[in-house]
């Protein structure tokens, strides 16, 4: 690319960043998982994850990147109250400032998502349904949870 092409791309990028703001988390090889871990590193926080029904999708995406990901638990079944308790226990065990818990349940063709996020700034819950293909539900749930955490870290 010549310098005029790079200059034009730079202007387009600046315009997109101005219009989309927080929606953009990276470029080229940047991943959502990497953006979350970068946000945690900037705050000096560690992350613990408890997941139910995701088949280790969250932990499997975060573990290879290391850094502030302290560890995760994959449990067979929990309700929101049980998730809260398991997350508190794991955060304490791993000395993690941030806990992210996710439950994905499928019934009658609907995927029900419940997530719990605990940070030093407070506690939040989120619920969603996903009507797409069940084969995509785990990745969808992991992406929703990670994007939620990324935005809270910004």
């Amino acid at each position: 690319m010549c310098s005029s092409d790079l200059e034009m791309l730079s202007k387009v990028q600046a315009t997109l960043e101005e219009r989309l703001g927080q929606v953009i988390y990276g470029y080229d090889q940047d991943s959502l998982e990497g953006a979350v871990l970068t946000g945690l590193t900037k705050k000096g926080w560690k992350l613990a994850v408890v997941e139910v029904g995701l088949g280790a999708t969250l932990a499997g995406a975060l573990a290879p990147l290391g850094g502030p990901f302290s560890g995760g638990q994959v449990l067979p079944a929990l309700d929101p109250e049980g998730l809260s308790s398991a997350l508190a226990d794991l955060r304490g065990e791993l000395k993690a400032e941030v806990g992210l818990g996710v439950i994905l349940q499928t019934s009658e063709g609907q995927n029900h998502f419940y997530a719990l996020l605990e940070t030093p700034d407070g506690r939040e819950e989120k619920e969603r349904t996903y009507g797409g293909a069940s084969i995509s539900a785990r990745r969808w749930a992991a992406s929703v949870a990670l994007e939620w955490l990324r935005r809270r870290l910004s």
Side-chain angles (χ1 to χ4, degrees), residues 3-143:
S3 63
S4 64
D5 291 339
L6 291 174
E7 187 177 312
M8 184 172 60
L9 275 174
S10 179
K11 288 179 183 177
V12 170
Q13 179 178 331
T15 300
L16 288 172
E17 288 173 348
E18 182 181 314
R19 290 182 182 175
L20 299 176
Q22 193 180 19
V23 173
I24 299 172
Y25 61 81
Y27 300 95
D28 300 325
Q29 300 303 313
D30 295 338
S31 67
L32 178 56
E33 295 83 357
V36 166
L37 295 178
T38 296
L40 288 163
T41 298
K42 286 179 181 176
K43 291 194 175 270
W45 293 346
K46 291 190 270 178
L47 172 66
V49 171
V50 174
E51 54 186 295
V52 176
L54 276 76
T57 303
L58 274 172
L62 294 166
L65 302 176
F69 177 62
S70 295
Q73 277 186 333
V74 178
L75 300 174
L78 285 177
D79 61 12
E81 187 176 309
L83 179 67
S84 179
S85 178
L87 191 57
D89 291 347
L90 186 62
R91 283 181 66 204
E93 178 184 321
L94 298 177
K95 296 178 178 38
E97 293 83 2
V98 178
L100 179 62
V102 180
I103 299 171
L104 180 67
Q105 296 174 323
T106 302
S107 66
E108 300 177 19
Q110 282 284 341
N111 296 285
H112 302 277
F113 166 90
Y114 170 83
L116 172 62
L117 176 61
E118 296 178 342
T119 72
D121 297 331
R123 171 191 165 110
E124 296 179 61
E125 298 172 89
K126 181 180 285 271
E127 291 188 64
R128 298 277 186 274
T129 57
Y130 175 70
S134 290
I135 195 166
S136 304
R138 288 178 175 179
R139 186 66 208 152
W140 169 83
S143 295

